[in-house]
Amino acid sequence: GIQVEQSPPDLILQEGANSTLRCNFSDSVNNLQWFHQNPWGQLINLFYIPSGTKQNGRLSATTVATERYSLLYISSSQTTDSGVYFCAVGMNYGGATNKLIFGTGTLLAVQP
Amino acid sequence: GAGVSQSPSNKVTEKGKDVELRCDPISGHTALYWYRQSLGQGLEFLIYFQGNSAPDKSGLPSDRFSAERTGGSVSTLTIQRTQQEDSAVYLCASSFGPQHEQYFGPGTRLTVT
């Protein structure tokens, strides 16, 4: 099956710093989502980005589908950015299920 | 509008008991997914419903797990004869269709003692 790898596994930042999280996947996909899991366990949607570039405030994401990777940029980090960031990809199984395959996540800690 | 809701938020049960977990998807979403998150396995797909089509049960770990979706809306995940390895957070997600963005509920934390 498709493999999803995220790097780095852990990251510690000082407040105000910038960072880049990476997601590599092993096959063509038709869905890619980035999530932030907050300390209470809720998965918060950041981007739905099977290809191209999107920006939302201090966050932006780029997916290069032909090269099978996606990047999540966090600028001017804040302590509230702390948590686990997941990349998840989906494939169209013959027009049916588009289940998400999750990476193992990047644990981000932003220190004041 | 309202997001995906799940109940209960926490469930503690004794080994061997049956449990039912409930998911209310976002209104108008035809696709509904169950996932679970455990320390050893990460986030993994369990089952998928789309409209009136037969569900995709390919992720269910054993025949003790089953799910149904009534009236194309609410879904119930049932685990029979629970085992300690079933302890995990069970997450429900819904989307407008099978190739649309998925939105997750807050999860049900299941602890089997």
Side-chain angles (χ1 to χ4, degrees), chain A residues 30-31 33 35 37 40-43 45-48 86 92-93 95-103, chain B residues 4 33 35 37 43-45 48 56 58-59 89 91 97-107 109:
Chain A
N30 62 4
N31 179 6
Q33 294 185 235
F35 297 92
Q37 189 166 44
W40 295 271
Q42 175 74 54
L43 280 170
N45 289 44
L46 297 178
F47 294 102
Y48 172 75
F86 287 103
N92 187 355
Y93 294 89
T97 308
N98 199 14
K99 64 185 181 185
L100 291 176
I101 308 300
F102 282 80
Chain B
V4 178
Y33 304 78
Y35 297 82
Q37 185 173 25
L43 270 151
E44 55 182 348
F45 165 80
Y48 160 77
D56 176 354
S58 61
V89 177
L91 294 161
Q99 298 192 47
H100 290 75
E101 186 173 5
Q102 294 182 31
Y103 295 86
F104 283 75
R109 181 175 298 277

Side-chain angles (χ1 to χ4, degrees), chain A residues 63-99:
Chain A
T63 297
V64 184
T66 53
E67 297 187 21
R68 299 180 184 170
Y69 73 88
S70 184
L71 302 173
L72 177 68
Y73 306 95
I74 304 174
S75 65
S76 304
S77 58
Q78 300 177 358
T79 56
T80 52
D81 294 334
S82 297
V84 182
Y85 288 79
F86 287 103
C87 167
V89 302
M91 296 174 67
N92 187 355
Y93 294 89
T97 308
N98 199 14
K99 64 185 181 185

Side-chain angles (χ1 to χ4, degrees), chain A residues 6 13-14 17 39-41 47 53 62 64 80 84 90 104:
Chain A
Q6 291 186 243
L13 298 175
Q14 290 299 123
W40 295 271
F47 294 102
T53 297
T62 294
V64 184
T80 52
V84 182
T104 52

